[in-house]
Amino acid sequence: MAVHTWETHRLVELEPGIVRVTLALPTGPRHVHCYFLRGDTDDGWTLVDTGLGLMETPWDDLLAQLDGDVVRIFITHMHPDHVGGAEAAAEATGAPVFQGRLDYAQCERVWGSDDWPERIAEWFIRNGVPPAVSDELIESGHVFADFVRFAWNPTLVEPGEEIDGWRVHWVPGHADGHLALERDGVLIAGDSLLTPITPAIGLYPESRPDPLGDYFATLEAIAELDPRVSYGGHGETIEAPAARAREIRAHHDERLDRTVSFLTDEPRTGFDVSYDLFGRDLPPIQRRFAVAETLSHLERLVADARAARHEDDRTVAYTAALHGGRPL
Ligand SMILES: [Zn+2]
């Protein structure tokens, strides 16, 4: 696959009233797209997502190239590359930040507390991650938290509301409280629909129990909404969103089949199964995503009665479902 290198800090008008700016990331897909949207009123632009904090985004230069003020900032979800620069963007624009109620609650719990890396590490240990690996996770977790400067006390948004003529849709899966904006056949999807990568769907502590089930409902809703075009947080513009939604669903169905093929009647942890699914050689931060992604698939299999969960005080583990897929 050809790797597209994105030119950063340049405003690109995708269609009238929709302008994209791409910011650099130190890891992962190496870039994130933010969008400036015009709406029904003529009062100015809505900025969607903000990149990381501490990345010295030249907001003043970017804003000077717009033919009007940014009058509000909308956050699709609380992951660092989307919410991390919210404080700086709010400072540069003087605009209020809008964020989903559920998303902001999780944002505060994760990035607003000092002990999240320890809490998540404890949970990973319950899912079979060896203490040495989880120690590294704690360390990298604290480093990462420095890049997140979200805006405290935003205006809270609920699905179904409208923001300057853009309808707010709840698109959970990649993040529990993930929101997208839609208007006139255009979907501003955040990370709910991406190409060529697929959004990571992971299970995390203190979050909804079946994120992959949530995501399947999101994909169906997007296919039904059938937007003309979808602009995502990473990668390429999606010209056939409904078809892409069906393609991503097929990808996960296949991965569910692979996951269940690694289960036996001996209980195995999410960590063990992640070795089968994603290989043995992953740096800690990627192992963390691999385990979370493995667990979201295992929990979907449990919900489908294709696997069974076994829990005691110390460990969570999974077996193949007994008796033709029906739990005993
Ligand atoms: Zn992202």
Side-chain angles (χ1 to χ4, degrees):
M1 196 186 312
V3 177
H4 190 140
T5 337
W6 295 90
E7 193 182 338
T8 54
H9 302 166
R10 191 169 70 83
L11 268 52
V12 179
E13 187 175 49
L14 301 165
E15 48 186 280
I18 300 178
V19 173
R20 182 182 66 206
V21 63
T22 303
L23 306 176
L25 297 180
T27 57
R30 300 250 160 219
H31 72 277
V32 60
H33 301 310
C34 308
Y35 296 90
F36 297 102
L37 308 178
R38 266 207 191 287
D40 281 344
T41 56
D42 236 358
D43 61 352
W45 295 87
T46 298
L47 167 64
V48 179
D49 288 344
T50 60
L52 285 174
L54 301 183
M55 291 297 287
E56 289 158 9
T57 302
W59 286 114
D60 290 339
D61 293 356
L62 296 173
L63 297 171
Q65 296 170 54
L66 281 177
D67 66 348
D69 294 336
V70 167
V71 293
R72 63 186 78 72
I73 297 165
F74 177 81
I75 303 297
T76 60
H77 65 294
M78 45 72 80
H79 291 171
D81 47 334
H82 299 260
V83 79
E87 187 187 69
E91 230 163 72
T93 57
V97 174
F98 290 68
Q99 191 170 357
R101 182 180 296 277
L102 171 60
D103 191 62
Y104 182 68
Q106 294 196 342
C107 186
E108 246 193 336
R109 208 152 63 220
V110 170
W111 306 119
S113 72
D114 292 333
D115 67 342
W116 176 253
E118 281 76 10
R119 280 187 283 149
I120 198 169
E122 199 178 299
W123 181 82
F124 272 122
I125 288 172
R126 262 180 79 63
N127 284 288
V129 175
V133 177
S134 74
D135 284 349
E136 283 180 75
L137 285 176
I138 292 177
E139 209 172 299
S140 57
H142 280 297
V143 171
F144 219 50
D146 287 343
F147 288 92
V148 181
R149 301 289 162 98
F150 67 90
W152 291 88
N153 303 314
T155 303
L156 296 178
V157 181
E158 300 281 2
E161 288 180 12
E162 276 196 9
I163 293 177
D164 202 21
W166 291 83
R167 179 162 287 270
V168 176
H169 292 269
W170 184 40
V171 287
H174 178 70
D176 285 354
H178 198 310
L179 298 178
L181 296 177
E182 171 255 335
R183 181 181 194 260
D184 298 335
V186 175
L187 187 69
I188 305 294
D191 291 355
S192 65
L193 196 72
L194 300 173
T195 201
I197 59 170
T198 58
I201 310 296
L203 180 75
Y204 292 97
E206 300 171 44
S207 56
R208 287 172 60 83
D210 179 15
L212 192 56
D214 288 343
Y215 190 50
F216 286 173
T218 288
L219 290 173
E220 258 165 59
I222 290 173
E224 201 165 302
L225 187 67
D226 197 17
R228 164 174 62 80
V229 64
S230 176
Y231 300 113
H234 310 274
E236 309 289 340
T237 294
I238 300 175
E239 306 285 356
R244 179 59 181 155
R246 285 190 287 269
E247 206 171 80
I248 294 177
R249 170 66 201 245
H251 158 83
H252 286 291
D253 283 340
E254 200 185 297
R255 182 170 283 170
L256 283 169
D257 289 344
R258 280 188 63 216
T259 306
V260 82
S261 78
F262 298 125
L263 296 178
T264 62
D265 50 10
E266 251 340 279
R268 304 190 69 207
T269 64
F271 179 76
D272 289 337
V273 179
S274 81
Y275 271 57
D276 297 324
L277 275 174
F278 295 96
R280 309 190 76 80
D281 303 318
L282 289 181
I285 198 81
Q286 268 167 277
R287 176 63 58 195
R288 167 195 181 128
F289 286 117
V291 172
E293 182 105 17
T294 301
L295 287 168
S296 76
H297 286 73
L298 288 166
E299 283 299 319
R300 181 90 287 269
L301 290 167
V302 171
D304 272 344
R306 297 172 73 192
R309 185 192 323 110
H310 305 264
E311 265 181 277
D312 60 27
D313 297 349
R314 292 174 50 203
T315 314
V316 183
Y318 299 83
T319 58
L322 305 169
H323 297 270
R326 286 188 308 279
L328 280 173

